[in-house]
Coordinates of all heavy atoms in Angstrom, one line a residue:
M3 N -37.0 -34.4 35.1 CA -37.1 -34.7 36.5 C -35.8 -34.3 37.2 O -34.7 -34.6 36.7 CB -37.3 -36.2 36.7 CG -37.7 -36.5 38.1 SD -39.5 -36.4 38.5 CE -40.1 -38.0 37.7
E4 N -35.9 -33.5 38.3 CA -34.7 -33.0 39.0 C -34.2 -33.9 39.8 O -34.9 -34.7 40.7 CB -35.2 -31.8 39.9 CG -35.5 -30.5 39.1 CD -34.2 -29.8 38.6 OE1 -33.2 -29.7 39.3 OE2 -34.2 -29.4 37.5
I5 N -32.8 -34.2 39.8 CA -32.2 -35.1 40.7 C -31.3 -34.4 41.7 O -30.6 -33.5 41.4 CB -31.2 -36.1 39.9 CG1 -32.1 -36.8 38.7 CG2 -30.5 -37.1 40.8 CD1 -32.9 -37.9 39.1
D6 N -31.6 -34.8 42.9 CA -30.9 -34.3 44.1 C -30.0 -35.4 44.8 O -30.4 -36.5 44.9 CB -31.7 -33.5 45.1 CG -31.8 -32.1 44.9 OD1 -31.0 -31.6 44.1 OD2 -32.7 -31.4 45.5
S7 N -28.9 -34.9 45.4 CA -28.1 -35.8 46.3 C -28.6 -35.6 47.7 O -28.6 -34.5 48.2 CB -26.6 -35.6 46.0 OG -26.0 -36.3 46.9
V8 N -29.0 -36.7 48.3 CA -29.5 -36.5 49.7 C -28.6 -37.4 50.5 O -28.1 -38.4 50.1 CB -31.0 -36.8 49.9 CG1 -31.8 -35.7 49.6 CG2 -31.4 -38.0 49.1
R9 N -28.6 -37.1 51.9 CA -27.8 -37.9 52.8 C -28.7 -38.5 53.8 O -29.5 -37.7 54.5 CB -26.8 -37.0 53.4 CG -25.7 -37.8 54.1 CD -24.5 -36.8 54.4 NE -23.8 -37.3 55.5 CZ -24.1 -37.1 56.8 NH1 -25.2 -36.3 57.1 NH2 -23.3 -37.5 57.8
C10 N -28.6 -39.7 54.2 CA -29.5 -40.4 55.1 C -29.1 -39.8 56.5 O -27.9 -39.8 56.9 CB -29.3 -41.8 55.1 SG -30.2 -42.7 56.4
E11 N -30.1 -39.3 57.3 CA -29.9 -38.7 58.5 C -29.4 -39.8 59.7 O -28.9 -39.5 60.7 CB -31.2 -38.2 59.1 CG -31.6 -36.9 58.3 CD -31.2 -35.6 58.8 OE1 -30.7 -35.6 59.9 OE2 -31.4 -34.7 58.0
C12 N -29.7 -41.1 59.2 CA -29.4 -42.2 60.2 C -27.9 -42.7 59.9 O -27.1 -42.5 60.8 CB -30.3 -43.3 59.9 SG -31.5 -43.5 61.2
C13 N -27.6 -43.3 58.8 CA -26.4 -43.9 58.6 C -25.4 -43.1 57.7 O -24.3 -43.5 57.5 CB -26.6 -45.3 57.8 SG -27.3 -45.2 56.2
G14 N -25.9 -41.9 57.2 CA -25.0 -41.1 56.4 C -24.9 -41.5 54.9 O -24.0 -40.9 54.3
L15 N -25.6 -42.5 54.4 CA -25.4 -42.9 53.1 C -25.9 -41.7 52.2 O -27.0 -41.2 52.4 CB -26.3 -44.1 52.8 CG -26.2 -44.8 51.5 CD1 -25.0 -45.8 51.4 CD2 -27.4 -45.6 51.1
R16 N -25.2 -41.5 51.0 CA -25.6 -40.6 50.0 C -26.3 -41.3 49.0 O -25.8 -42.3 48.5 CB -24.4 -39.9 49.5 CG -24.2 -38.6 50.3 CD -23.1 -37.7 49.5 NE -23.1 -36.4 50.4 CZ -23.9 -35.5 50.4 NH1 -25.1 -35.6 49.7 NH2 -23.8 -34.5 51.2
E17 N -27.4 -40.8 48.6 CA -28.1 -41.3 47.3 C -28.6 -40.2 46.4 O -28.9 -39.0 46.9 CB -29.4 -42.2 47.8 CG -29.1 -43.6 48.0 CD -30.4 -44.3 48.4 OE1 -31.3 -44.1 47.7 OE2 -30.3 -45.1 49.4
D18 N -28.6 -40.5 45.2 CA -29.2 -39.5 44.2 C -30.6 -39.9 43.9 O -30.8 -41.0 43.5 CB -28.4 -39.5 42.9 CG -26.9 -38.9 43.1 OD1 -26.9 -38.1 44.0 OD2 -26.0 -39.3 42.4
C19 N -31.5 -39.0 44.2 CA -32.9 -39.4 44.1 C -33.7 -38.1 43.4 O -33.2 -37.1 43.3 CB -33.6 -39.6 45.5 SG -32.8 -40.9 46.3
T20 N -34.8 -38.6 42.8 CA -35.6 -37.5 42.3 C -36.1 -36.7 43.4 O -36.5 -37.2 44.6 CB -36.8 -38.0 41.5 OG1 -37.6 -38.8 42.3 CG2 -36.3 -38.9 40.3
Q21 N -36.4 -35.4 43.2 CA -37.0 -34.5 44.3 C -38.2 -35.0 44.7 O -38.6 -34.8 45.9 CB -37.0 -33.0 43.7 CG -35.6 -32.4 43.8 CD -35.7 -31.0 43.1 OE1 -36.8 -30.5 42.6 NE2 -34.7 -30.2 43.4
E22 N -39.0 -35.5 43.8 CA -40.4 -36.1 44.1 C -40.2 -37.1 45.2 O -40.9 -37.2 46.3 CB -41.0 -36.7 42.9 CG -42.4 -36.7 42.9 CD -43.0 -37.3 41.6 OE1 -42.2 -37.7 40.7 OE2 -44.2 -37.4 41.5
Y23 N -39.3 -38.1 45.0 CA -39.1 -39.2 46.0 C -38.5 -38.6 47.3 O -39.0 -39.1 48.3 CB -38.0 -40.1 45.4 CG -37.6 -41.3 46.2 CD1 -38.5 -42.3 46.5 CD2 -36.4 -41.4 46.9 CE1 -38.3 -43.4 47.4 CE2 -36.1 -42.4 47.7 CZ -36.9 -43.4 47.9 OH -36.6 -44.3 48.8
I24 N -37.6 -37.7 47.2 CA -37.1 -37.1 48.5 C -38.2 -36.5 49.3 O -38.3 -36.7 50.5 CB -35.9 -36.1 48.1 CG1 -34.7 -36.7 47.5 CG2 -35.5 -35.3 49.4 CD1 -33.8 -35.7 46.9
T25 N -39.1 -35.7 48.6 CA -40.2 -35.1 49.3 C -41.1 -36.1 49.9 O -41.6 -35.9 51.1 CB -40.9 -34.2 48.3 OG1 -40.1 -33.4 47.6 CG2 -41.9 -33.3 49.1
S26 N -41.3 -37.2 49.3 CA -42.4 -38.2 49.8 C -41.8 -38.9 51.0 O -42.4 -39.2 51.9 CB -42.8 -39.1 48.7 OG -41.8 -40.1 48.4
V27 N -40.4 -39.2 50.9 CA -39.8 -39.8 52.1 C -39.8 -38.9 53.2 O -40.1 -39.4 54.4 CB -38.4 -40.3 51.7 CG1 -37.6 -40.8 52.9 CG2 -38.2 -41.4 50.7
K28 N -39.5 -37.6 53.0 CA -39.4 -36.7 54.1 C -40.8 -36.5 54.7 O -40.9 -36.4 55.8 CB -38.9 -35.3 53.5 CG -37.4 -35.3 53.5 CD -36.9 -33.9 53.2 CE -35.5 -33.7 53.1 NZ -35.0 -32.4 52.7
S29 N -41.8 -36.6 53.9 CA -43.2 -36.4 54.5 C -43.5 -37.6 55.3 O -44.3 -37.5 56.2 CB -44.1 -36.1 53.4 OG -44.4 -37.1 52.6
N30 N -43.0 -38.7 54.8 CA -43.3 -39.9 55.7 C -42.5 -40.0 57.1 O -43.0 -40.6 58.1 CB -42.7 -41.2 55.0 CG -43.7 -41.7 53.9 OD1 -44.9 -41.4 54.0 ND2 -43.3 -42.4 52.9
F31 N -41.4 -39.3 57.2 CA -40.6 -39.4 58.3 C -40.5 -38.0 59.1 O -39.3 -37.8 59.5 CB -39.3 -40.0 58.0 CG -39.4 -41.5 57.6 CD1 -39.1 -41.9 56.3 CD2 -39.6 -42.5 58.5 CE1 -39.2 -43.2 55.8 CE2 -39.8 -43.9 58.1 CZ -39.7 -44.1 56.7
G32 N -41.4 -37.2 59.0 CA -41.4 -36.0 59.7 C -40.3 -35.0 59.2 O -39.6 -34.5 60.2
G33 N -40.0 -34.9 57.9 CA -39.0 -34.0 57.5 C -37.6 -34.5 57.4 O -36.7 -33.8 57.1
I34 N -37.5 -35.8 57.8 CA -36.1 -36.3 57.8 C -35.9 -37.4 56.6 O -36.9 -38.1 56.3 CB -35.8 -37.0 59.1 CG1 -35.5 -35.9 60.2 CG2 -34.6 -38.0 59.0 CD1 -35.5 -36.4 61.6
W35 N -34.9 -37.3 55.9 CA -34.6 -38.2 54.9 C -33.9 -39.5 55.2 O -32.8 -39.3 55.9 CB -34.0 -37.6 53.6 CG -34.1 -38.5 52.4 CD1 -35.1 -38.5 51.6 CD2 -33.2 -39.4 51.9 NE1 -35.0 -39.4 50.5 CE2 -33.7 -40.0 50.8 CE3 -32.0 -39.9 52.4 CZ2 -33.1 -41.1 50.1 CZ3 -31.3 -41.0 51.7 CH2 -31.9 -41.6 50.5
L36 N -34.5 -40.6 55.0 CA -33.8 -41.9 55.3 C -33.6 -42.6 54.1 O -34.4 -42.7 53.2 CB -34.7 -42.6 56.3 CG -35.0 -42.1 57.7 CD1 -35.9 -43.0 58.4 CD2 -33.7 -41.8 58.5
C37 N -32.5 -43.5 54.1 CA -32.1 -44.3 52.9 C -33.2 -45.4 52.9 O -33.9 -45.6 53.9 CB -30.8 -44.6 52.8 SG -30.4 -45.8 54.2
G38 N -33.1 -46.3 51.8 CA -34.1 -47.4 51.7 C -33.9 -48.3 52.8 O -34.9 -48.8 53.5
L39 N -32.6 -48.7 53.2 CA -32.5 -49.7 54.2 C -33.0 -49.1 55.6 O -33.6 -49.8 56.4 CB -30.9 -49.9 54.5 CG -30.4 -51.2 53.7 CD1 -28.9 -51.3 54.0 CD2 -31.1 -52.4 54.4
C40 N -32.6 -47.8 55.9 CA -33.0 -47.2 57.1 C -34.5 -47.1 57.3 O -35.2 -47.3 58.3 CB -32.4 -46.0 57.4 SG -30.6 -46.0 57.8
S41 N -35.2 -46.6 56.2 CA -36.7 -46.5 56.2 C -37.4 -47.9 56.5 O -38.3 -48.0 57.2 CB -37.2 -45.8 55.0 OG -36.8 -46.4 53.8
E42 N -36.7 -48.9 55.8 CA -37.2 -50.2 56.0 C -37.1 -50.7 57.5 O -38.0 -51.2 58.1 CB -36.4 -51.2 55.1 CG -36.9 -52.6 55.1 CD -38.1 -52.7 54.1 OE1 -38.3 -51.8 53.3 OE2 -38.6 -53.7 54.2
A43 N -35.9 -50.4 58.0 CA -35.7 -50.8 59.5 C -36.7 -50.0 60.4 O -37.1 -50.6 61.4 CB -34.2 -50.5 59.8
V44 N -36.8 -48.7 60.1 CA -37.7 -47.9 60.9 C -39.2 -48.4 60.9 O -39.9 -48.6 61.9 CB -37.7 -46.3 60.6 CG1 -38.8 -45.6 61.3 CG2 -36.4 -45.7 61.0
R45 N -39.6 -48.8 59.7 CA -40.9 -49.3 59.5 C -41.0 -50.7 60.2 O -42.1 -50.9 60.8 CB -41.3 -49.5 58.0 CG -42.4 -48.6 57.6 CD -42.6 -48.7 56.0 NE -42.1 -47.6 55.3 CZ -41.4 -47.6 54.3 NH1 -41.1 -48.8 53.7 NH2 -40.8 -46.6 53.7
D46 N -40.0 -51.5 60.1 CA -40.0 -52.7 60.8 C -40.0 -52.5 62.4 O -40.9 -53.2 63.0 CB -38.7 -53.5 60.4 CG -38.7 -54.9 60.9 OD1 -39.2 -55.7 60.2 OD2 -38.0 -55.1 62.0
E47 N -39.2 -51.7 62.8 CA -39.2 -51.3 64.3 C -40.7 -50.8 64.8 O -41.2 -51.3 65.7 CB -38.3 -50.2 64.5 CG -38.3 -49.6 65.9 CD -37.3 -50.4 66.8 OE1 -36.5 -51.3 66.3 OE2 -37.5 -50.3 67.9
L48 N -41.3 -50.0 64.0 CA -42.6 -49.4 64.3 C -43.6 -50.6 64.4 O -44.4 -50.7 65.2 CB -43.1 -48.4 63.3 CG -44.3 -47.6 63.6 CD1 -44.3 -46.8 64.8 CD2 -44.5 -46.7 62.4
M49 N -43.5 -51.5 63.3 CA -44.5 -52.6 63.2 C -44.4 -53.5 64.4 O -45.4 -53.8 65.1 CB -44.3 -53.4 61.9 CG -44.6 -52.8 60.7 SD -46.4 -53.1 60.2 CE -46.1 -54.7 59.6
S50 N -43.2 -53.9 64.8 CA -43.1 -54.9 65.9 C -43.3 -54.3 67.2 O -44.0 -54.9 68.1 CB -41.7 -55.6 65.7 OG -40.6 -54.7 65.8
K51 N -42.8 -53.0 67.4 CA -43.0 -52.5 68.8 C -44.4 -51.9 68.9 O -45.0 -52.0 70.1 CB -42.0 -51.3 68.9 CG -40.5 -51.9 69.1 CD -40.1 -51.9 70.6 CE -38.7 -52.6 70.6 NZ -37.6 -51.7 70.2
G52 N -44.9 -51.3 67.8 CA -46.3 -50.7 67.9 C -47.4 -51.7 68.2 O -48.4 -51.4 68.8
K53 N -47.1 -53.0 67.9 CA -48.0 -54.1 68.2 C -48.2 -54.2 69.7 O -49.2 -54.6 70.2 CB -47.6 -55.4 67.6 CG -48.4 -55.7 66.3 CD -48.0 -57.2 65.8 CE -47.2 -56.9 64.6 NZ -46.6 -58.2 64.1
K54 N -46.9 -54.1 70.4 CA -47.0 -54.4 71.9 C -47.3 -53.1 72.6 O -47.8 -53.2 73.7 CB -45.6 -54.9 72.2 CG -45.2 -56.2 71.7 CD -43.7 -56.5 71.9 CE -43.2 -57.5 70.8 NZ -42.0 -57.4 70.5
K55 N -47.0 -52.0 72.1 CA -47.1 -50.8 72.8 C -47.8 -49.7 71.9 O -47.3 -49.3 70.9 CB -45.8 -50.2 73.3 CG -45.8 -49.4 74.4 CD -44.4 -49.0 74.9 CE -44.3 -47.7 75.5 NZ -43.0 -46.9 75.4
K56 N -49.1 -49.5 72.4 CA -49.9 -48.5 71.4 C -49.3 -47.2 71.3 O -49.4 -46.5 70.3 CB -51.3 -48.4 72.1 CG -52.2 -49.5 71.7 CD -53.5 -49.0 71.2 CE -54.3 -50.1 70.5 NZ -54.6 -51.1 71.3
S57 N -48.6 -46.7 72.3 CA -48.0 -45.3 72.4 C -46.8 -45.1 71.6 O -46.2 -44.2 71.4 CB -47.8 -44.7 73.8 OG -46.9 -45.6 74.4
Y58 N -46.2 -46.4 71.1 CA -44.9 -46.3 70.3 C -45.2 -45.9 68.9 O -45.9 -46.3 68.1 CB -44.5 -47.7 70.3 CG -43.0 -47.8 69.9 CD1 -42.0 -47.7 70.8 CD2 -42.6 -48.1 68.6 CE1 -40.7 -47.8 70.5 CE2 -41.3 -48.1 68.2 CZ -40.4 -47.9 69.1 OH -39.1 -48.0 68.9
G59 N -44.7 -44.7 68.7 CA -44.8 -44.0 67.4 C -43.7 -44.0 66.5 O -42.6 -44.5 66.9
L60 N -43.9 -43.3 65.3 CA -42.8 -43.3 64.4 C -41.5 -42.6 64.9 O -40.5 -43.0 64.7 CB -43.4 -42.4 63.1 CG -42.4 -42.3 62.0 CD1 -42.0 -43.6 61.3 CD2 -42.9 -41.3 60.9
E61 N -41.7 -41.6 65.7 CA -40.6 -40.8 66.3 C -39.8 -41.7 67.2 O -38.5 -41.8 67.2 CB -41.0 -39.8 67.1 CG -40.4 -38.4 66.7 CD -41.1 -37.2 67.4 OE1 -40.8 -36.8 68.5 OE2 -42.0 -36.7 66.8
D62 N -40.5 -42.6 68.0 CA -39.8 -43.6 68.9 C -39.0 -44.6 68.0 O -37.8 -44.9 68.3 CB -40.7 -44.3 69.7 CG -41.5 -43.4 70.6 OD1 -40.9 -42.7 71.3 OD2 -42.8 -43.5 70.4
A63 N -39.6 -45.0 67.0 CA -38.9 -46.0 66.1 C -37.8 -45.5 65.4 O -36.7 -46.1 65.3 CB -39.9 -46.5 64.9
M64 N -37.9 -44.2 65.0 CA -36.7 -43.5 64.4 C -35.5 -43.2 65.4 O -34.4 -43.4 65.0 CB -37.1 -42.1 63.9 CG -37.8 -42.2 62.4 SD -38.6 -40.8 61.8 CE -37.2 -39.8 61.6
K65 N -35.9 -42.9 66.6 CA -34.9 -42.7 67.6 C -34.2 -44.0 67.8 O -32.9 -44.0 68.0 CB -35.6 -42.2 68.9 CG -35.3 -40.7 69.2 CD -36.0 -40.3 70.4 CE -36.9 -39.0 70.1 NZ -38.0 -39.0 71.2
A66 N -35.0 -45.1 68.0 CA -34.4 -46.3 68.3 C -33.5 -46.7 67.2 O -32.3 -47.2 67.4 CB -35.5 -47.4 68.5
H67 N -33.8 -46.6 66.0 CA -33.1 -46.9 64.9 C -31.9 -46.0 64.7 O -30.7 -46.4 64.4 CB -33.8 -46.9 63.5 CG -33.0 -47.3 62.3 ND1 -32.5 -48.6 62.3 CD2 -32.5 -46.6 61.3 CE1 -31.8 -48.6 61.2 NE2 -31.7 -47.5 60.6
M68 N -31.9 -44.7 65.0 CA -30.8 -43.9 64.9 C -29.7 -44.2 66.0 O -28.5 -44.3 65.8 CB -31.2 -42.4 65.1 CG -31.8 -41.8 63.9 SD -32.0 -40.1 64.0 CE -32.9 -39.8 62.4
S69 N -30.2 -44.6 67.1 CA -29.1 -45.0 68.2 C -28.5 -46.3 67.7 O -27.3 -46.6 68.0 CB -29.8 -45.1 69.6 OG -30.6 -46.2 69.7
F70 N -29.4 -47.1 67.1 CA -28.8 -48.4 66.6 C -27.6 -48.1 65.6 O -26.6 -48.7 65.5 CB -29.9 -49.2 65.9 CG -29.4 -50.4 65.2 CD1 -29.1 -51.6 65.9 CD2 -29.3 -50.5 63.8 CE1 -28.7 -52.8 65.2 CE2 -28.8 -51.6 63.1 CZ -28.6 -52.8 63.8
C71 N -27.9 -47.1 64.6 CA -27.0 -46.8 63.7 C -25.7 -46.2 64.3 O -24.6 -46.5 63.9 CB -27.6 -45.7 62.6 SG -28.4 -46.5 61.3
R72 N -25.9 -45.3 65.2 CA -24.7 -44.7 65.9 C -23.9 -45.8 66.5 O -22.7 -45.8 66.5 CB -25.2 -43.9 67.0 CG -25.3 -42.3 66.6 CD -25.3 -41.4 67.8 NE -26.6 -41.5 68.6 CZ -27.6 -40.9 68.2 NH1 -27.7 -40.1 67.1 NH2 -28.7 -41.1 68.8
R73 N -24.5 -46.9 67.1 CA -23.7 -47.9 67.8 C -22.9 -48.6 66.7 O -21.7 -49.0 67.0 CB -24.7 -49.0 68.4 CG -24.9 -48.7 69.9 CD -25.3 -50.0 70.7 NE -26.3 -50.8 70.0 CZ -27.6 -50.6 70.1 NH1 -28.0 -49.6 70.9 NH2 -28.5 -51.4 69.5
I74 N -23.5 -49.0 65.6 CA -22.7 -49.6 64.5 C -21.7 -48.7 64.0 O -20.5 -49.2 63.8 CB -23.7 -49.9 63.4 CG1 -24.7 -51.0 63.9 CG2 -22.9 -50.5 62.2 CD1 -25.7 -51.5 62.7
K75 N -22.0 -47.4 63.8 CA -20.9 -46.5 63.3 C -19.7 -46.4 64.2 O -18.6 -46.1 63.8 CB -21.5 -45.2 63.1 CG -22.2 -45.1 61.6 CD -22.4 -43.8 61.2 CE -23.5 -43.1 61.9 NZ -24.1 -41.8 61.1
S76 N -20.0 -46.6 65.6 CA -18.9 -46.3 66.5 C -18.0 -47.5 66.4 O -16.9 -47.6 67.2 CB -19.4 -46.1 67.8 OG -20.1 -47.2 68.4
N77 N -18.4 -48.6 65.8 CA -17.6 -49.8 65.6 C -17.2 -49.9 64.1 O -17.9 -50.3 63.4 CB -18.3 -51.0 66.0 CG -17.5 -52.3 65.9 OD1 -16.4 -52.2 65.5 ND2 -18.1 -53.4 66.3
P78 N -15.8 -49.5 63.9 CA -15.4 -49.5 62.5 C -15.3 -50.7 61.9 O -15.2 -50.8 60.6 CB -14.0 -48.8 62.6 CG -13.6 -48.9 64.0 CD -14.8 -49.0 64.9
A79 N -15.4 -51.8 62.6 CA -15.2 -53.1 62.0 C -16.6 -53.6 61.3 O -16.6 -54.4 60.5 CB -14.8 -54.2 63.1
V80 N -17.5 -52.9 61.7 CA -18.9 -53.3 61.1 C -19.4 -52.2 60.2 O -19.4 -51.2 60.4 CB -19.9 -53.4 62.4 CG1 -21.3 -54.0 61.9 CG2 -19.4 -54.3 63.5
C81 N -19.8 -52.8 59.1 CA -20.3 -51.9 57.9 C -21.9 -51.8 58.4 O -22.6 -52.6 58.8 CB -20.2 -52.6 56.6 SG -21.2 -51.9 55.4
V82 N -22.3 -50.5 58.2 CA -23.7 -50.2 58.7 C -24.6 -51.0 57.8 O -25.5 -51.5 58.4 CB -23.9 -48.7 58.3 CG1 -25.3 -48.3 58.6 CG2 -23.1 -47.8 59.3
A83 N -24.4 -51.2 56.5 CA -25.4 -51.8 55.8 C -25.5 -53.3 56.2 O -26.4 -54.0 56.2 CB -25.0 -51.7 54.3
D84 N -24.3 -53.8 56.5 CA -24.2 -55.3 56.8 C -25.0 -55.4 58.2 O -25.7 -56.4 58.5 CB -22.8 -55.6 57.1 CG -22.1 -56.0 55.7 OD1 -22.9 -56.0 54.7 OD2 -21.0 -56.4 55.6
G85 N -24.7 -54.5 59.1 CA -25.3 -54.6 60.4 C -26.8 -54.6 60.3 O -27.5 -55.3 61.0
M86 N -27.3 -53.7 59.4 CA -28.7 -53.6 59.2 C -29.3 -54.8 58.7 O -30.4 -55.2 59.0 CB -29.0 -52.3 58.5 CG -29.3 -51.2 59.4 SD -29.9 -49.8 58.4 CE -28.4 -49.0 57.9
R87 N -28.6 -55.3 57.6 CA -29.1 -56.5 57.0 C -29.2 -57.8 57.9 O -30.2 -58.4 58.1 CB -28.1 -56.9 55.8 CG -28.6 -56.4 54.5 CD -27.9 -57.1 53.4 NE -26.5 -56.7 53.3 CZ -26.2 -55.6 52.6 NH1 -27.0 -54.9 51.9 NH2 -24.9 -55.2 52.6
Q88 N -28.2 -57.7 58.9 CA -28.3 -58.8 59.9 C -29.4 -58.6 60.8 O -30.1 -59.5 61.2 CB -26.9 -58.7 60.8 CG -25.8 -59.7 60.2 CD -24.5 -59.3 60.8 OE1 -24.5 -58.8 61.9 NE2 -23.4 -59.6 60.2
M89 N -29.6 -57.3 61.2 CA -30.7 -56.9 62.0 C -32.0 -57.4 61.4 O -33.0 -58.0 62.1 CB -30.8 -55.5 62.4 CG -31.8 -55.1 63.3 SD -32.1 -53.3 63.3 CE -32.8 -53.0 61.8
L90 N -32.3 -57.0 60.2 CA -33.5 -57.4 59.5 C -33.7 -58.9 59.3 O -34.7 -59.4 59.5 CB -33.5 -56.7 58.2 CG -33.7 -55.2 58.1 CD1 -33.5 -54.6 56.7 CD2 -35.1 -54.8 58.7
R91 N -32.7 -59.6 59.1 CA -32.7 -60.9 59.0 C -33.1 -61.6 60.3 O -33.9 -62.6 60.4 CB -31.3 -61.6 58.6 CG -31.3 -62.8 57.7 CD -30.1 -63.3 57.4 NE -29.4 -62.3 56.4 CZ -28.1 -62.1 56.6 NH1 -27.3 -62.7 57.4 NH2 -27.5 -61.2 55.7
R92 N -32.5 -61.1 61.4 CA -32.8 -61.6 62.8 C -34.3 -61.4 63.0 O -34.9 -62.1 63.6 CB -31.9 -60.9 63.8 CG -31.8 -61.8 65.1 CD -30.8 -61.0 66.0 NE -31.1 -59.7 66.2 CZ -30.3 -58.7 66.2 NH1 -29.1 -58.8 65.9 NH2 -30.7 -57.5 66.5
R93 N -34.8 -60.2 62.7 CA -36.2 -59.9 63.0 C -37.0 -60.7 62.2 O -38.0 -61.3 62.7 CB -36.4 -58.4 62.6 CG -35.8 -57.5 63.4 CD -36.9 -56.9 64.4 NE -36.3 -56.0 65.4 CZ -36.1 -54.7 65.1 NH1 -36.5 -54.2 64.0 NH2 -35.6 -54.0 66.1
S94 N -36.8 -61.0 60.9 CA -37.7 -61.8 60.1 C -37.6 -63.2 60.7 O -38.7 -64.0 60.5 CB -37.4 -61.7 58.6 OG -36.1 -61.9 58.4
G95 N -36.5 -63.7 61.2 CA -36.4 -64.9 61.9 C -37.4 -65.0 63.0 O -38.1 -66.0 63.2
D96 N -37.4 -64.0 63.8 CA -38.3 -64.0 64.9 C -39.7 -64.1 64.6 O -40.5 -64.8 65.2 CB -38.1 -62.5 65.7 CG -36.8 -62.5 66.5 OD1 -36.2 -63.6 66.6 OD2 -36.4 -61.5 66.9
L97 N -40.1 -63.4 63.4 CA -41.4 -63.3 63.0 C -42.0 -64.7 62.6 O -43.1 -65.1 62.7 CB -41.6 -62.4 61.8 CG -41.6 -60.9 62.2 CD1 -41.6 -60.1 61.0 CD2 -42.5 -60.5 63.2
S98 N -41.0 -65.6 62.0 CA -41.4 -66.9 61.6 C -41.6 -67.9 62.7 O -42.2 -68.9 62.6 CB -40.4 -67.4 60.5 OG -39.2 -67.6 61.1
K99 N -41.1 -67.5 63.9 CA -41.2 -68.4 65.0 C -42.7 -68.4 65.6 O -43.3 -67.3 65.4 CB -40.3 -68.0 66.1 CG -39.1 -68.9 66.2 CD -38.3 -68.6 67.4 CE -37.4 -67.3 67.3 NZ -36.8 -66.9 68.5
P100 N -43.2 -69.5 66.0 CA -44.6 -69.5 66.5 C -44.6 -68.6 67.8 O -43.7 -68.6 68.5 CB -44.9 -71.0 66.8 CG -43.6 -71.6 66.8 CD -42.6 -70.7 66.0
A101 N -45.7 -67.8 67.9 CA -45.8 -67.0 69.1 C -46.0 -67.8 70.3 O -47.0 -68.6 70.5 CB -47.0 -66.0 68.9
S102 N -45.0 -67.8 71.2 CA -45.2 -68.6 72.4 C -45.6 -67.7 73.6 O -45.9 -68.4 74.7 CB -43.8 -69.2 72.8 OG -42.8 -68.2 72.8
V103 N -45.5 -66.5 73.5 CA -46.0 -65.5 74.6 C -47.5 -65.5 74.6 O -48.1 -65.1 73.5 CB -45.4 -64.2 74.4 CG1 -45.7 -63.4 75.7 CG2 -43.9 -64.4 74.3
S104 N -48.2 -65.9 75.7 CA -49.6 -65.8 75.7 C -50.0 -64.9 76.8 O -49.3 -64.7 77.8 CB -50.2 -67.2 75.8 OG -49.6 -67.8 76.9
Ligands
LIG30 ZN1 -29.6 -45.0 56.1

């Protein structure tokens, strides 16, 4: 199995992955490779926003997440991975709340 080093287009994290895995991730995200955390965040973004807005697509979710990553990266005090973990935690917290919007 061929192992390649790839760099996340969002947060810049480097990972060594099999070419098979790289290809499958790229085909999921329109030719862009995202690390595990970023792809999770994009999927999460797409799920939550896509529910409210039908026209909200994968590209929008990726754009939103990339600008989120840029914001974190511009603040050297915050680690990207930590920021994302916090975001995911906050999101899952939101989901467990009863829906009050009717
Ligand atoms: Zn990433």
Side-chain angles (χ1 to χ4, degrees):
M3 193 83 81
E4 289 283 317
I5 303 287
D6 257 353
S7 178
V8 275
R9 199 168 150 274
C10 176
E11 298 265 350
C12 254
C13 66
L15 184 90
R16 268 197 178 281
E17 267 185 47
D18 290 332
C19 302
T20 63
Q21 283 181 347
E22 207 181 0
Y23 176 71
I24 294 168
T25 309
S26 83
V27 170
K28 279 188 178 174
S29 68
N30 278 341
F31 295 108
I34 287 173
W35 194 84
L36 298 177
C37 71
L39 261 178
C40 285
S41 52
E42 188 76 14
V44 167
R45 246 177 254 136
D46 189 81
E47 174 85 16
L48 185 61
M49 288 271 284
S50 56
K51 295 259 174 71
K53 256 185 251 168
K54 292 165 204 151
K55 203 175 151 207
K56 276 230 163 66
S57 60
Y58 197 84
L60 181 66
E61 233 171 87
D62 300 301
M64 279 169 64
K65 254 182 239 157
H67 182 63
M68 280 188 185
S69 69
F70 173 81
C71 270
R72 262 198 295 274
R73 265 208 312 277
I74 292 182
K75 273 198 287 194
S76 65
N77 182 356
V80 184
C81 167
V82 175
D84 278 352
M86 266 189 275
R87 264 195 286 273
Q88 268 166 30
M89 180 195 71
L90 288 172
R91 209 178 298 140
R92 204 173 57 227
R93 286 263 175 82
S94 48
D96 285 349
L97 291 175
S98 64
K99 258 188 281 173
S102 53
V103 185
S104 54

